[in-house]
């Protein structure tokens, strides 16, 4: 036997020992009446973490069977590290996307506390004067809005008014909604820091 083959053959007792430990873990899980998820985790652990360190590649096949291959442990561990890195980046991106969505959702709900009149008055860069209802009548430069601009402003006002009424009803029906979203954002930020 050449040195490379002899090295691989000498790893077989370690592989058998690892598989014996795996069988013991599966037996313990069965005695503890663990669910199927635990068995899958044990299988994944032996395939992804234990065997590669011993120079064994275990590949799942589409027909439900698997294939054992002896390989260089360093190569397998490097591949596993790359898989973990890719999975970590994907998980982080998923949390980032969810966080952005929740922040946007929170902004929407917080803006719902602003009446349509307050919203338009806050647009000092666009409008300077308003009628009694709070609909803009003059541009920021002090010029009276044209008929078309006034119609657009009234349309926007009515749309905001309908949204405001609907959101106020939802907030009244679910008093802890905003606090719940804030808690989710806080939890997602903590999770991001851990990733």
């Amino acid at each position: 036997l050449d040195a490379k083959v002899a090295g691989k053959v000498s790893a077989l007792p370690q592989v058998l020992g690892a598989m014996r430990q795996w069988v013991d873990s599966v037996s313990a899980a069965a005695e503890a009446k663990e669910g199927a998820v635990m068995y899958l985790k044990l299988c994944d652990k032996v395939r992804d973490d234990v065997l590669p360190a011993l120079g064994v590649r275990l590949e799942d096949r589409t027909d439900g069977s698997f294939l054992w291959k002896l390989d260089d442990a360093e190569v397998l561990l490097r591949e596993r590290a790359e898989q973990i890195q890719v999975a970590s980046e994907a998980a982080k991106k998923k949390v980032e996307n969810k966080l952005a969505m929740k922040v946007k959702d929170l902004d929407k709900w917080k803006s719902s506390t602003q009446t349509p009149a307050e919203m338009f008055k806050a647009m000092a860069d666009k409008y300077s004067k308003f009628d009694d209802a709070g609909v803009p009548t003059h541009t920021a430069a002090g010029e009276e809005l044209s008929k078309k601009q006034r119609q657009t402003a009234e349309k926007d006002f009515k749309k905001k008014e309908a949204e405001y009424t609907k959101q106020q009803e939802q907030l009244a029906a679910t008093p802890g909604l905003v606090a719940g979203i804030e808690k989710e954002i806080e939890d997602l930020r903590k999770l991001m820091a851990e990733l």
Side-chain angles (χ1 to χ4, degrees):
L1 294 175
D2 70 17
K4 192 172 187 179
V5 173
K8 289 181 179 180
V9 170
S10 69
L12 290 180
Q14 291 175 309
V15 172
L16 291 175
M19 293 312 297
R20 227 177 284 117
Q21 286 179 344
W22 175 77
V23 168
D24 292 344
S25 297
V26 170
S27 297
E31 287 176 17
K33 297 188 184 338
E34 296 285 345
V37 172
M38 177 55 76
Y39 300 119
L40 293 173
K41 285 182 180 180
L42 290 170
C43 291
D44 290 344
K45 181 174 174 53
V46 78
R47 179 196 63 212
D48 297 337
D49 300 328
V50 176
L51 293 178
L54 300 173
V56 177
R57 181 186 301 271
L58 185 60
E59 294 179 349
D60 294 329
R61 290 184 164 176
T62 56
D63 66 0
S65 66
F66 53 88
L67 178 67
W68 293 75
K69 291 182 183 177
L70 294 177
D71 206 337
D72 184 354
E74 288 181 23
V75 170
L76 295 175
L77 292 173
R78 189 170 41 251
E79 287 175 1
R80 181 66 183 145
E82 289 169 3
Q83 289 172 345
I84 290 170
Q85 179 67 28
V86 167
S88 175
E89 289 171 4
K92 188 174 183 177
K93 185 70 176 164
K94 186 176 179 179
V95 172
E96 284 174 351
N97 291 341
K98 189 170 183 177
L99 178 61
M101 184 180 76
K102 289 295 177 183
V103 167
K104 186 176 179 182
D105 201 25
L106 180 63
D107 289 343
K108 177 188 96 172
W109 285 106
K110 283 191 170 184
S111 73
S112 72
T113 61
Q114 192 177 41
T115 66
E118 292 169 338
M119 181 194 78
F120 279 106
K121 287 179 181 171
M123 296 182 182
D125 60 325
K126 288 181 80 174
Y127 307 112
S128 62
K129 292 184 182 176
F130 308 87
D131 66 13
D132 293 339
V135 178
T137 58
H138 290 75
T139 66
E143 299 171 4
E144 190 171 342
L145 295 178
S146 69
K147 184 176 179 180
K148 184 172 178 147
Q149 289 173 320
R150 175 77 179 179
Q151 288 173 341
T152 302
E154 287 173 354
K155 182 180 171 186
D156 290 345
F157 187 90
K158 286 179 183 175
K159 180 180 174 188
K160 176 64 178 167
E161 195 170 41
E163 289 173 5
Y164 175 78
T165 302
K166 182 180 175 185
Q167 289 174 331
Q168 290 304 307
E169 289 169 0
Q170 288 176 325
L171 285 172
T174 318
L177 181 69
V178 172
I181 295 171
E182 288 172 337
K183 175 75 171 109
E184 286 182 72
I185 289 171
E186 179 184 332
D187 292 345
L188 287 169
R189 286 187 173 140
K190 285 179 184 175
L191 184 57
M192 282 291 295
E194 294 171 8
L195 293 177

